[in-house]
């Protein structure tokens, strides 16, 4: 029995997600970027909130935890690796743990890099992954608390998912990511086509999230540090994948 997903924009460029297990009717919020937007979405759907599944501690992801727990008495599941920074956490989870939403099953992946304890929730049976700030459409999270090697390893856990997996990223950063991607992957025909598509979508204020893993494999420069064409474009032919990734990440930070 599948899960139902409601996605809504909030704050300046975040996406919030509410998910409901159709079999049991249980509902979870993926992160808590903005309490009023979450409550509005719950109200519109006629749902109540049973769980919060946090990906990491940043205030635009866990800042609404306490207010929502107070209101809904929901259970908060979050990353063991940064549990002391997750307000109101009830259950600490880490790599390989199973988190159930009623009868819907997700598996937790540790994806350190953006923060030291960042986790992803993979609903494999639903072909969906809630990836927080680990990967974005044509981008990846900034390395606030991790090394390039850690992030490359974290991203490899996402790229190991089936290519049709839908990635629910927490921000609409796609237009800026696309402009940067073109500078480090200029020969990529799939990227050029996607950039045109993104311009059109964003011009109509249409979300570019979720994104499909297969598209990211073809166009996300942070997944393509091992490609000879990308390595040539950044002046590191035959370079080590982690070193090329690090160079691309630094360039994006300064873009
Ligand atoms: Zn973040
Ligand atoms: Fe964020």
């Amino acid at each position: 029995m599948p899960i139902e997903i409601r996605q809504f924009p909030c704050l300046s460029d975040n996406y919030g997600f509410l998910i409901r297990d159709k079999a049991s009717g249980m509902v979870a919020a993926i992160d808590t970027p903005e309490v009023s937007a979450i409550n509005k979405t719950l109200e519109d759907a006629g749902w109540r909130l049973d769980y919060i599944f946090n990906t990491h501690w940043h205030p635009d992801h866990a800042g609404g935890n306490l207010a929502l727990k107070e209101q809904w008495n929901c259970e908060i599941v979050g990353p063991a690796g940064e549990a002391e920074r997750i307000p109101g956490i009830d259950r600490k989870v880490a790599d390989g743990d199973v988190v159930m939403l009623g009868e819907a099953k997700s598996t937790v992946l540790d994806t350190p890099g953006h923060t030291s304890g960042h986790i992803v929730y993979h609903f494999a049976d639903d072909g969906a992954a809630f990836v927080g700030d680990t990967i974005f459409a044509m981008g990846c999270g900034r390395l606030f608390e991790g090394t390039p090697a850690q992030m490359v390893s974290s991203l490899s856990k996402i790229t190991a998912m089936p290519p049709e997996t839908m990635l629910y990223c927490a921000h609409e950063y796609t237009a800026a990511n696309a402009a940067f991607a073109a500078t480090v992957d200029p020969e990529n025909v799939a990227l050029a086509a996607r950039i045109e598509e993104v311009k059109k979508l964003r011009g109509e204020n249409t979300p570019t999230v979720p994104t499909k893993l297969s598209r990211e494999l073809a166009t996300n420069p942070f997944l393509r540090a091992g490609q000879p064409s990308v390595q040539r474009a950044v002046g590191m032919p035959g370079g080590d994948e982690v070193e090329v990734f690090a160079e691309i990440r630094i360039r994006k930070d300064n873009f």
Side-chain angles (χ1 to χ4, degrees), residues 94-96 108-112 118-120 122 129 131 134 150-162 165 167 213 223:
D95 211 56
V108 173
L109 304 173
D110 282 342
T111 59
H118 196 298
I119 59 173
V120 161
H122 183 204
V131 296
T134 295
Q150 276 178 319
M151 194 56 146
V152 167
S153 162
S154 294
L155 291 169
S156 75
K157 295 181 184 178
I158 293 172
T159 58
M161 294 174 186
T165 304
L167 306 176
L213 175 56
L223 304 182

